[in-house]
Amino acid sequence: MPDAAGNGCAATAPRIPVGWRTSSPQAALAFIPPEPLATESGGDDLLSRLVRIRAPYDLRLRVSPPGHKPQGFARIGKESSISEGAFRGLVTPIAPHAQRRPDVMAVQIALNLRFITDAPCTMELMPPFLSANFRRWPGPIVSGRFPLTDWPRPLNAVIEWQDRDRDLVIKRGDDMAYVRFHFEDPAALPEIVEAADTPALRRHLARIDDVSSVGRNVRPMFAEAAARRPARLLVPKEISAPAW
């Protein structure tokens, strides 16, 4: 039976494959594979539709106090498990002119993850609102949506520092973000699998990665990505199988 939102019961809902890959090969084994928030929903339709992304490291971030120029942030080293070099590639400030509000500093944290699917799908990134740790964050993740089918870009979390007196404290295994996949069939659920690194996937990713460095408005490029997309991008990875 459908629920009040028109969604089918999770136990009988169709499953659509969604693959994941780390977006950088460095330290890939340290990263925790994404997983459904509830593998058996027990009647909770929402939990069966959310996929959690968890932190693979310990990290504590502190931003400069209000009025400090220039705005900045620092890693509290003794509480962070990542090296300084890895930190510089992981966390970057959002330029003041690109912040949603000029008085609220924001930083971007790379999640080192991307999703791939061959089904028509829009992916939504949102804060980990069911996590107890999230309630202690200094501000929210800025939610966003994009057309996943043609644009399997690396995921980043933009965090707004609404409480400048509070540090961002993350422990390995903490929920960093939730994602939800919107399919043509609103009852469909994602079946999360690891994606193989195929030549077709590599070629398509090379077309779309770093496009934002050429221009901030990438929306007109969605149609071009769809036109150049091969028929199949997602091939589930077979353990011990050779790369092809």
Side-chain angles (χ1 to χ4, degrees):
M1 294 291 292
D3 63 14
N7 298 315
C9 296
T12 59
R15 303 276 172 166
I16 294 180
V18 175
W20 65 269
R21 287 196 60 80
T22 54
S23 52
S24 171
Q26 286 76 29
L29 285 177
F31 283 77
I32 302 171
E35 59 187 5
L37 201 58
T39 54
E40 295 181 2
S41 68
D44 192 322
D45 188 74
L46 173 64
L47 295 187
S48 68
R49 295 175 185 282
L50 297 176
V51 173
R52 67 172 11 131
I53 299 173
R54 295 194 289 162
Y57 43 68
D58 297 329
L59 180 65
R60 187 180 192 116
L61 285 180
R62 181 174 299 165
V63 299
S64 56
H68 185 275
K69 300 292 184 180
Q71 294 182 346
F73 63 92
R75 174 177 68 112
I76 309 303
K78 65 180 181 180
E79 298 189 44
S80 298
S81 62
I82 56 178
S83 68
E84 183 62 30
F87 172 72
R88 287 196 295 269
L90 179 73
V91 183
T92 53
I94 301 297
H97 71 272
Q99 292 171 181
R100 198 165 62 97
R101 290 173 47 190
D103 59 330
V104 177
M105 186 178 175
V107 300
Q108 176 176 281
I109 300 180
L111 298 177
N112 194 28
L113 182 71
R114 69 171 94 229
F115 289 101
I116 304 105
T117 186
D118 291 323
C121 176
T122 298
M123 200 205 79
E124 182 178 12
L125 179 73
M126 61 187 74
F129 53 85
L130 297 176
S131 167
N133 181 64
F134 172 65
R135 291 192 285 272
R136 296 187 288 271
W137 284 15
I141 285 178
V142 179
S143 299
R145 292 164 61 112
F146 63 92
L148 178 63
T149 313
D150 304 319
W151 201 267
R153 65 175 177 82
L155 298 184
N156 299 304
V158 175
I159 299 175
E160 291 188 330
W161 234 275
Q162 296 179 356
D163 184 351
R164 297 282 283 269
D165 295 325
R166 183 176 297 189
D167 292 348
L168 174 65
V169 180
I170 297 170
K171 299 295 184 183
R172 176 175 170 81
D174 281 352
D175 289 0
M176 281 287 292
Y178 296 155
V179 294
R180 180 169 180 173
F181 304 95
H182 299 269
F183 303 109
E184 288 184 330
D185 180 352
L189 298 176
E191 180 181 352
I192 304 300
V193 298
E194 186 174 0
D197 183 22
T198 66
L201 179 61
R202 287 196 297 271
R203 286 193 296 269
H204 190 67
L205 298 183
R207 295 187 185 109
I208 65 173
D209 281 355
D210 298 324
V211 164
S212 60
S213 65
V214 178
R216 290 187 58 200
N217 184 18
V218 299
R219 186 172 298 276
M221 302 179 192
F222 290 164
E224 184 69 18
R228 297 193 182 194
R229 184 194 193 281
R232 187 180 187 190
L233 286 179
L234 175 57
V235 176
K237 181 178 179 181
E238 296 182 15
I239 303 302
S240 301
W244 59 276

